[in-house]
Amino acid sequence: MFPSFRTRLVLANAAILSLAVIGIAWLSLASLRFGVNSTIDRMLETLAHGAASARAEIRMGAPLPGFLPPLARVRLNALAERSGVAPGAPPTMADATGANAGTLSPPIVRLTDLDGDPLPSGAGEAIDPAAVRAALAGKFGHTTLFRDGKRYRSYTTALHRGNTRIGTVQVSRALSDFDYVYRSHTQRMLILAPAGLLTIWLLSLFLANQALRPVRRVTLAAAEIGANDLCRRLEVQGKDELGELARTFNEMIARLHAAFEQQRQFTADASHELRTPLARMKLTLSEALSQGTTLEELQEALRVADAAADRLGSLAEDLLILTRSDSGQLPLRLRRMDLCALVRDAAALWEDAGPDVRVELPETPMPIQADPIYLHRVLDNLLQNAVRHTPPSGSIAISVYPAPGAAALCVRDTGEGIPEECLSRVCERFYQVQTARSPMTDVARSSRGGSGLGLAIVRSLVEAHGGRFELTSKVGVGTEAVLVLPEVQPGILTNS
């Protein structure tokens, strides 16, 4: 209904504050009425008990009881001033009949006998005859009634002479002055309430604008940041929630920048790797289609084109694996298998590669849950890298050993090693260390690889299996690659 957050914020704040003000006003009026009623009731009780004890002169003990609300006290004092009575002067009664010396709304005392008739000193009929009859029946208390266009409050109780009950005494008082105080207070509330509510709404709008100004600044800055301008950052002010928002936004932009840069580099490297075999294939086939080409030249051209096609197919497969791994859609077909048996099969393919390949396996099987095709590819990539960068006189050791809750596989070679400044990047896609290469055997030359995707695929596949990949190296000493894969939990995983 209100698409603007600022509008919703203003409405919510204004509504809450308006309800609070209305509630306070209502409580103020209720408190005033309760205080006035309590004051009158105590005043009437004091007068009634004084008359019931047959005192010749009745005076109020306090001009205005202490618990009377301050506003009511001010209004009553103002009324007293206008009537010629000093502020706070106690209203008095000349005698028990209620003859008054000149005050506002004097109390009226009426005395009746046991039959409900006025006593000779009762000064007339009771204001509330029904309350008198109820008092004669033993029901004493306060009553309120309208009479002659006025509202009266009465208190009726028993009248005694000594220990003998001789009738009732009723003290009444017109509520005109108290009603005037209540009406005046209500009128002022009705006058001030609209002004107060308008102030609240304007204040809510101002506060909402002030609170959302940093958000607006962040929005405008974010709108100016485009895909080609991800180096810009928002200005962080303070350590509050808005500052945290700006810092979080900057961190997100930094991640996007890194992702875009990685994607841009990946696209450039992939284009370069694809262009090389395509150019070779195009050049070879173009020469083969020229006039004067012999049968042997055509066959050689077809062999070159076939090798380039294999290279393209391998590169496309590697890119597909990485793409699926990044999106979490790698189709792993997990099954229970022995890691030791997989290592034996993979190592057997590289026995004649040139370097001495040794296998160190435990006596007991090492069960894991993995996709045998992808895991075999991981081992093939590691051994291919080791053979490519290890001279024929060197050695490659493959070992399997248990780790806490996992199985570990280590491929260690005595090759040229990786410089320390390059070690953190060798698992990036298409990254290749620019160092002198060791002599390669024919087997190594014929094997696929050399695109800079081997270790990136190894890390992606190992992490897809829930494991981790660690690489350490030292130039001139060799390289050690360690795979840690989760071990099968007995009774949970089964062969598929």
Side-chain angles (χ1 to χ4, degrees), residues 21 64 121 168 252 347 386 463 473:
V21 169
L64 294 173
S121 58
T168 64
M252 181 190 69
E463 291 178 353
S473 182

Side-chain angles (χ1 to χ4, degrees), residues 30-52:
S31 176
L32 176 62
R33 179 176 289 275
F34 175 79
V36 167
N37 290 339
S38 299
T39 299
I40 295 174
D41 288 346
R42 293 187 60 180
M43 188 182 301
L44 296 177
E45 291 177 11
T46 301
L47 292 172
H49 290 300

Side-chain angles (χ1 to χ4, degrees), residues 186-196:
T186 303
Q187 291 172 357
R188 281 166 175 75
M189 286 290 182
L190 294 176
I191 294 173
L192 294 176

Side-chain angles (χ1 to χ4, degrees), residues 79-131:
L79 289 172
E81 289 177 358
R82 287 199 296 270
S83 64
V85 181
T92 61
M93 288 181 56
D95 52 38
T97 64
N100 195 269
T103 61
L104 293 173
S105 301
I108 302 172
V109 180
R110 295 292 184 262
L111 307 176
T112 61
D113 57 19
L114 293 177
D115 295 327
D117 297 327
L119 291 174
S121 58
E125 183 183 357
I127 297 297
D128 190 353

